[in-house]
């Protein structure tokens, strides 16, 4: 078992399978696109352990509070790690988290997007440490996100060959 898998297991965390989109929805793209030593990760949302879209759904500042958004961002990190593991075969191949772009479905007036996306960043830093896990990041509010999810996050990582 890899170091990252050991850390996940020690925390009782499970990487979900690929998202199960709603009926009739086609997702004609790769969740992870590897080019050289870079892996570009498509936008991911919060998933349950079975790959279904995790509740609660809705907007921060209306249906969800910051704590619920933080949990959604953490679940999004697990979904993304699942995709990276399937694409790379081993999460220990990640040598640097370079960029994270966090999108938060926000009700008018909600301005705590960075606190929400901290759920993602905190887990990445916890698992990968301050060197590999360090990343540049944006956290922005969006009027709507697909399937009414509260958080969508995309990333770029550097990988070992």
């Amino acid at each position: 078992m890899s170091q990252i898998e050991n850390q996940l297991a020690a925390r009782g965390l499970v990487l979900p399978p690929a998202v199960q989109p709603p009926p009739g929805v086609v997702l004609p793209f790769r969740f992870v696109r590897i080019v050289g030593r870079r892996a570009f990760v498509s936008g991911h949302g919060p998933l349950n352990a079975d790959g279904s879209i995790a509740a609660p759904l809705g907007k921060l500042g209306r249906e969800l509070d910051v704590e619920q958004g933080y949990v959604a961002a953490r679940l999004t990190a697990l979904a993304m790690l699942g995709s990276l593991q399937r694409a790379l075969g081993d999460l220990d191949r990640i040598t640097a988290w370079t960029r994270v772009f966090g999108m938060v479905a926000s009700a008018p007036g909600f301005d705590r997007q960075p606190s929400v996306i901290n759920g993602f960043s905190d887990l990445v830093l916890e698992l990968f440490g301050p060197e590999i896990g360090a990343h540049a990041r944006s956290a922005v509010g969006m009027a709507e996100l697909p399937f009414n999810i509260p958080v969508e996050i995309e990333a770029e990582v550097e990988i070992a060959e």
Side-chain angles (χ1 to χ4, degrees), residues 35-153:
V35 179
R37 292 193 58 217
R38 299 275 183 199
F40 300 91
V41 187
S42 296
H44 281 64
L47 297 180
N48 294 310
D50 65 359
S52 62
I53 295 172
L57 301 175
K59 292 185 181 187
L60 275 289
R62 192 172 67 201
E63 290 87 8
L64 286 84
D65 61 25
V66 171
E67 184 177 316
Q68 290 170 306
Y70 182 97
V71 170
R74 190 172 171 93
L75 289 174
T76 301
L78 293 173
M80 187 177 291
L81 289 170
S83 290
L84 282 163
Q85 185 174 43
R86 286 186 292 280
L88 301 174
D90 183 355
L91 292 173
D92 287 350
R93 287 185 60 199
I94 297 171
T95 58
W97 284 81
T98 57
R99 180 182 167 279
V100 170
F101 182 66
M103 297 163 273
V104 179
S106 300
F110 183 80
D111 64 358
R112 304 268 320 270
Q113 292 85 2
S115 297
V116 170
I117 301 302
N118 284 348
F120 182 97
S121 293
D122 289 349
L123 183 59
V124 167
L125 288 164
E126 188 180 317
L127 293 171
F128 289 87
E131 284 302 311
I132 294 173
H135 52 273
R137 188 187 90 177
S138 297
V140 300
M142 299 288 181
E144 302 291 337
L145 289 174
F147 318 123
N148 204 27
I149 59 175
V151 173
E152 181 174 354
I153 302 172

